[in-house]
Amino acid sequence: MLFRSKPATRVQFEEYKKTAVGIYKKGRLKQAQKIFQRLALVNDRDSTIQKYSRLIETEIRQQAEEYFVRGFGYWGQKKYRAARRDFELVYDLQPDYPKIQYFLDDVKKQIQLTQGAIDSLLLIAKEKEKLKQYTGAISAYGKILNIDPENSAARNALSDIHPKVESYLAGLSDQANKSFKAGEYFNTEALCRKILRIDPEKTAARELRIRSREKRKSRADDLWQQGLKVYADKKYKAAINLLTNKINGWHDSLTIGMADYIFADANLQLKNYKYAVLYAQKAISKNYNIKKWIIPYSYYFIAEAYYQQGKNKLSKRYL
């Protein structure tokens, strides 16, 4: 092992430093850190040792932070085995990292709890397979892999029924293509997701899903433009219907906030005062940081809706 004893000469000391720097540049931070720490016992004022000790300490903290953030993401997604790997990397780099011991203990506990569910699903999958109910078997194996993406029993079982799986996937693919041609984009994407959950390498399904999303978004954008036009023409019921279909087809925070504003105004004009207030309140909350000009108009809608209902005191609060 490198550096079992103190360097006997200045030349040897410099060689050890050079070796430690090389190890650091290869990314083996903990090993390099240990060598620099031992070299510091000989000469802690050496500029090279001070420089690389600081660099290593900074990079270890950064790596630990990156692993923790990724592990925390897995933990939130209930992917506990993946989370444990990252939390263990954090612990190896920085054992005193805040709350790392808590998260390590928690993922170990969760893995034990999920093992019971995995065992039950394996029994169900095997039974379905015996009955030639391959959809149910694949579904059960898929649920196992959702809990534990690296579960060897589920992966091996899926491999064993590969020809049957391929036949099943071909059927799903055929359904997805028919749905796409029929303009049933939600169903197309759902079928593609089923395919990709079983076999993520099915590029045709991934591409079809992307094309379906694009078609769905394009259709929704057309509905949005039509909805805005009929709203401008004061055809309020038609506007509500078109914009509702747009949101159901494709939405984001910006369009939802704008739609709520339009729904509030449209319902006010249609004398649906309860809904006018409801959508105006939604518009206020959703546009606080997006389209602030909507907010005073939304307050007006609320005030007017209450006024039309004879609730003058409530109305005045929003003026």
Side-chain angles (χ1 to χ4, degrees):
M1 183 179 176
L2 177 66
F3 195 20
R4 289 179 177 173
S5 60
K6 292 182 180 180
T9 65
R10 179 69 183 175
V11 172
Q12 193 177 34
F13 182 82
E14 293 299 325
E15 287 177 354
Y16 283 163
K17 277 201 306 181
K18 185 177 178 181
T19 301
V21 170
I23 291 171
Y24 162 77
K25 289 181 177 179
K26 290 178 181 178
R28 289 146 56 185
L29 299 179
K30 292 298 289 185
Q31 186 180 357
Q33 185 183 51
K34 288 178 181 179
I35 297 172
F36 279 120
Q37 285 172 346
R38 298 184 72 178
L39 286 169
L41 296 174
V42 178
N43 182 2
D44 61 358
R45 295 183 181 180
D46 184 275
S47 60
T48 300
I49 293 173
Q50 291 178 350
K51 172 188 171 182
Y52 281 97
S53 294
R54 286 194 298 269
L55 284 172
I56 290 169
E57 186 177 345
T58 300
E59 290 188 29
I60 283 176
R61 282 201 304 270
Q62 289 174 347
Q63 280 193 12
E65 179 70 16
E66 289 171 6
Y67 287 135
F68 181 81
V69 169
R70 189 174 67 183
F72 186 79
Y74 287 137
W75 180 80
Q77 296 169 35
K78 299 183 179 181
K79 296 179 179 179
Y80 297 117
R81 283 175 172 78
R84 182 176 65 179
R85 284 196 299 273
D86 280 337
F87 289 150
E88 286 174 345
L89 287 169
V90 174
Y91 186 82
D92 289 342
L93 285 168
Q94 193 176 343
D96 61 347
Y97 191 92
K99 293 191 176 182
I100 190 59
Q101 192 61 57
Y102 164 81
F103 283 104
L104 272 174
D105 292 341
D106 186 68
V107 292
K108 289 174 183 176
K109 176 183 175 183
Q110 296 301 332
I111 287 169
Q112 288 179 347
L113 292 173
T114 55
Q115 190 58 49
I118 288 171
D119 292 341
S120 297
L121 286 167
L122 273 173
L123 290 173
I124 292 169
K126 292 296 182 184
E127 186 62 27
K128 295 284 187 183
E129 199 172 336
K130 285 179 183 178
L131 296 171
K132 297 185 178 181
Q133 296 176 0
Y134 301 118
T135 302
I138 292 168
S139 175
Y141 289 131
K143 288 178 181 178
I144 292 169
L145 293 174
N146 282 338
I147 297 171
D148 178 12
E150 297 181 1
N151 187 279
S152 58
R155 287 193 173 279
N156 291 338
L158 283 173
S159 178
D160 291 340
I161 60 171
H162 182 71
K164 299 162 189 175
V165 172
E166 283 301 313
S167 176
Y168 173 69
L169 292 179
L172 287 178
S173 180
D174 185 55
Q175 292 176 47
N177 282 304
K178 287 179 180 177
S179 290
F180 181 79
K181 289 177 181 177
E184 298 169 354
Y185 302 124
F186 268 119
N187 191 45
T188 301
E189 290 166 45
L191 289 165
C192 288
R193 282 195 297 272
K194 280 186 179 180
I195 294 169
L196 293 169
R197 273 199 297 268
I198 296 166
D199 187 353
E201 301 302 318
K202 293 291 183 184
T203 54
R206 183 175 289 105
E207 290 169 1
L208 180 61
R209 183 184 175 189
I210 292 169
R211 284 191 288 130
S212 180
R213 282 171 61 85
E214 290 171 350
K215 288 280 188 181
R216 181 160 60 87
K217 185 177 185 303
S218 176
R219 177 191 285 174
D221 289 342
D222 289 341
L223 289 171
W224 178 256
Q225 294 302 322
Q226 292 173 41
L228 293 179
K229 185 177 184 303
V230 295
Y231 170 68
D233 294 339
K234 299 184 179 181
K235 298 175 182 177
Y236 298 116
K237 285 186 178 180
I240 290 171
N241 289 334
L242 285 166
L243 295 179
T244 299
N245 288 333
K246 182 280 189 282
I247 290 171
N248 289 337
W250 187 279
H251 62 265
D252 52 45
S253 59
L254 181 64
T255 55
I256 288 179
M258 186 66 182
D260 285 334
Y261 162 80
I262 293 173
F263 290 159
D265 186 25
N267 278 290
L268 183 64
Q269 302 304 323
L270 294 169
K271 300 183 180 181
N272 297 326
Y273 301 123
K274 177 182 176 182
Y275 290 107
V277 171
L278 174 66
Y279 283 112
Q281 289 172 336
K282 286 184 176 181
I284 290 167
S285 65
K286 290 174 183 173
N287 286 288
Y288 188 76
N289 292 315
I290 303 173
K291 287 183 175 291
K292 291 190 176 182
W293 63 266
I294 284 176
I295 294 175
Y297 287 98
S298 299
Y299 279 124
Y300 166 75
F301 295 152
I302 296 172
E304 181 66 16
Y306 281 136
Y307 176 77
Q308 292 297 332
Q309 295 176 83
K311 300 177 180 179
N312 294 337
K313 286 185 178 180
L314 281 174
S315 178
K316 288 178 181 178
R317 291 182 187 177
Y318 292 91
L319 290 175

